[in-house]
Amino acid sequence: MIWLGIDTSHTPLAVSIVKDDQVLAEYKSSLKITHSIGAMPAIEELLKKAEIEPHEIDAIAVAKGPGSYTGVRIGVTIGKTLAWTLNIPIVSVSSLQVLAGNAPYFPGIVCSIMDARRSNVFAGVYENGQVVKESHMSLVDLLKMLDESGNPVLFVGMDVKIHWEQIKEVLRDKVHQANAAFSLPSAAVLIELAKEQKATEAHTTVPKYLRVTEAEANWMKEQKKNGHE
Amino acid sequence: MKKDQYILGIETSCDETAASIVKNGHEIISNVVSSQIESHKRFGGVVPEVASRHHVEQITIVIEEALNQANMTPKDLDAVAVTEGPGLVGALLIGINAAKAFAFANGLPLVGVHHIAGHIYANALVQPMEFPLLALVVSGGHTELVLMKEDGQFELIGETRDDAAGEAYDKVARVLNLPYPGGPHIDRLANESDGAVPFPRAWLEEGSYDFSFSGLKSAVINYQHNAEQRGEEINPNHLAAGFQQSVIEVLTTKTLRAAREFNVKQVIAAGGVAANKGLRKVLEETFEKENIPFYVPPISLCTDNAAMIAAAGNSKFSAGKTGDMSMNGRPGLELNSWN
Ligand SMILES: [Zn+2]
């Protein structure tokens, strides 16, 4: 059973090939290279090195978001197109869960975040491997929620350092920061998580943005104001 | 005998998700277009992020439909052609990454196509192109005169310095409170009109093949504004007719002058605004009098579609110009020759 995993949901690029229970090859970077330029060449190169032909792939795992809208779409588009044309299953996994998957043995809450600008974050909160919350929220609200739980918290993600001061101020000695080696998503982790989840149909596999577009938000507000819901 | 060449075209540069299979650059085997226009209507225009979201939902469905309608499998194809630019970058990226993944999985060559080259080659799907050829490309994003001395060669001899013709149409439609997209409504109002407001023509400096429509747009807005201040009702038919006449006269006059100067064998119109009935009629009459063959593709091939991308891709692929897995969306891509 050969899995190809792809995560382009944020600045980092992660690609991995897992055969049965062995990671054959993995690519991981946080270089600011557009995913449209970097992702397919990385997939092509890894498969070539592993001497695997595209039609030998048995399943695709893809990070479905949240993250950068364009980034998420590139990975999902590549993933669903490969799955559809190769006629193989695709499993899409939350990008926040992939990040949190870097810290499976932490006794407490694992919180993965991606910066979403204007003091907001995409945040995933996990306890004992279970999803507690995955949402787009203000950092203030997130920290309040974590503080009230009283449990130790491990923060994961390359954007943690942007907000670390504020995080530390609220959570104090209850909070830890995953080190650099665990800050980037791993597509091997993505594949391991995908093995536990249900496959979707390639055509209906779409990103999970966790946010409506600004235009749609405004439009819905208008509709409400005008009285037709 | 040369083997038949089948190209899969993919187009996602704006608000249509499209895929098509074209044989030998001129025969449409299948042509699928999924339009998002209903979704964008509520916003009064195309919202890029919404467009990108729709593309990712539709892309594999549309490609599959193109294969199914053609009764073909990827093995029957010779190459995949995709719009590389210009266009909305987020939208372009969906078609490009789907095209790359599809080409990679099936071991097919990949060809990046310029959107305007696509619009021009839409004509190859109707009748053989003969060179030298002059193309008037008019759409929401473009107003260009392109001279082609040979297949795969492009020379930009004139372009808009401000608004594209289609953009001016949309803005004037807003002045008249017409629903989006406004172009067809203005065309209809103008064709039903019994008079026309005299608006200026922007000829620019002598000999120039460039265009400018922002002055005309301002004149229309001022006209409406002044009428409002005087408490007068404007006649929308007269306003639409006056605007459309100004646009058509400038486009036709410059196209005719270029056709004469470069002694072309064919004049073609391309792009969404080429679907405009008023413009088609005047161009047809003008070139009939001039005795130069004039063609404009049927409306379904004037608006964005993937058959035109496959047709242009066929020519570029035949010239040996292929891309690789690092192909990126290029919103400001220039129209370069491939021959
Ligand atoms: Zn177009």
Side-chain angles (χ1 to χ4, degrees), chain B residues 31-312:
Chain B
N31 189 16
V32 180
V33 180
S34 163
S35 175
Q36 309 173 357
I37 210 154
E38 287 306 318
S39 173
H40 293 285
K41 258 183 187 163
R42 62 196 155 139
F43 309 120
V46 176
V47 178
E49 175 58 24
V50 174
S52 303
R53 290 186 178 196
H54 286 310
H55 285 308
V56 79
E57 290 159 9
Q58 291 300 317
I59 188 70
T60 55
I61 298 172
V62 167
I63 301 173
E64 181 175 79
E65 186 63 24
L67 284 163
N68 286 350
Q69 283 185 14
N71 204 7
M72 291 172 86
T73 70
K75 281 190 190 66
D76 302 316
L77 299 170
D78 293 281
V80 181
V82 63
T83 309
E84 196 177 358
L88 303 170
V89 66
L92 288 166
L93 288 176
I94 304 304
I96 290 168
N97 281 285
K100 288 199 289 189
F102 182 86
F104 173 70
N106 296 295
L108 290 166
L110 181 70
V111 184
V113 172
H114 191 284
H115 185 74
I116 295 305
H119 274 303
I120 295 172
Y121 275 83
N123 282 277
L125 300 164
V126 185
Q127 78 289 314
M129 288 160 75
E130 281 189 59
F131 307 97
L133 171 155
L134 181 70
L136 170 67
V137 184
V138 268
S139 73
H142 297 270
T143 309
E144 280 153 20
L145 272 172
V146 179
L147 177 68
M148 293 180 70
K149 289 187 179 146
E150 272 176 64
D151 186 38
Q153 276 189 10
F154 307 92
E155 216 174 291
L156 187 64
I157 59 169
E159 63 186 322
T160 182
R161 293 184 184 169
D162 38 64
D163 295 350
E167 227 177 317
Y169 266 92
D170 281 340
K171 282 176 187 163
V172 170
R174 238 168 278 159
V175 168
L176 289 172
N177 276 321
L178 296 168
Y180 172 85
H185 295 284
I186 292 181
D187 193 20
R188 178 176 46 78
L189 289 178
N191 291 333
E192 289 165 357
S193 185
D194 57 357
V197 180
F199 285 121
R201 272 81 171 134
W203 298 114
L204 305 175
E205 59 289 353
E206 205 174 321
S208 171
Y209 288 120
D210 281 352
F211 303 98
S212 166
F213 295 105
S214 71
L216 171 61
K217 175 194 69 190
S218 304
V220 172
I221 294 169
N222 286 340
Y223 176 85
Q224 191 250 13
H225 188 75
N226 291 341
E228 209 169 69
Q229 293 229 305
R230 288 195 299 266
E232 291 169 16
E233 285 273 328
I234 53 163
N235 180 324
N237 287 79
H238 290 183
L239 187 143
F243 165 76
Q244 174 142 315
Q245 280 174 14
S246 171
V247 173
I248 291 177
E249 190 183 327
V250 173
L251 289 177
T252 307
T253 306
K254 294 206 175 200
T255 308
L256 177 61
R257 189 154 50 80
R260 283 175 178 159
E261 183 185 333
F262 297 103
N263 211 356
V264 300
K265 288 210 178 110
Q266 235 178 40
V267 174
I268 61 179
V273 181
N276 183 292
K277 289 197 191 78
L279 176 62
R280 278 176 180 239
K281 190 162 161 271
V282 175
L283 284 169
E284 270 161 17
E285 287 168 0
T286 303
F287 287 103
E288 196 179 328
K289 250 186 253 156
E290 188 70 15
N291 233 338
I292 300 176
F294 169 80
Y295 302 102
V296 53
I299 289 171
S300 63
L301 294 176
C302 278
T303 50
D304 288 352
N305 63 86
M308 68 185 201
I309 301 303

Side-chain angles (χ1 to χ4, degrees), chain A residues 34-41 43-44 47 54-55 57 69-70 73-74 76-82 84-86 202-207 209 211-216 219, chain B residues 39 42-43 47-50 52-65 67 74 90 93-102 104-106 325-329:
Chain A
T34 315
H35 291 313
S36 183
I37 293 176
M40 277 309 300
I43 293 168
E44 187 179 34
L47 286 169
H55 64 84
I57 304 167
Y69 296 159
T70 302
R73 274 193 289 270
I74 288 172
V76 171
T77 300
I78 291 171
K80 73 189 279 187
T81 305
L82 289 175
W84 160 68
T85 194
L86 295 169
H203 288 325
T204 56
T205 303
V206 289
Y209 302 102
R211 268 186 95 184
V212 296
T213 63
E214 218 173 296
E216 283 168 310
W219 182 79
Chain B
S39 173
R42 62 196 155 139
F43 309 120
V47 178
E49 175 58 24
V50 174
S52 303
R53 290 186 178 196
H54 286 310
H55 285 308
V56 79
E57 290 159 9
Q58 291 300 317
I59 188 70
T60 55
I61 298 172
V62 167
I63 301 173
E64 181 175 79
E65 186 63 24
L67 284 163
L93 288 176
I94 304 304
I96 290 168
N97 281 285
K100 288 199 289 189
F102 182 86
F104 173 70
N106 296 295
M325 286 300 131
S326 66
M327 185 184 289
N328 195 13

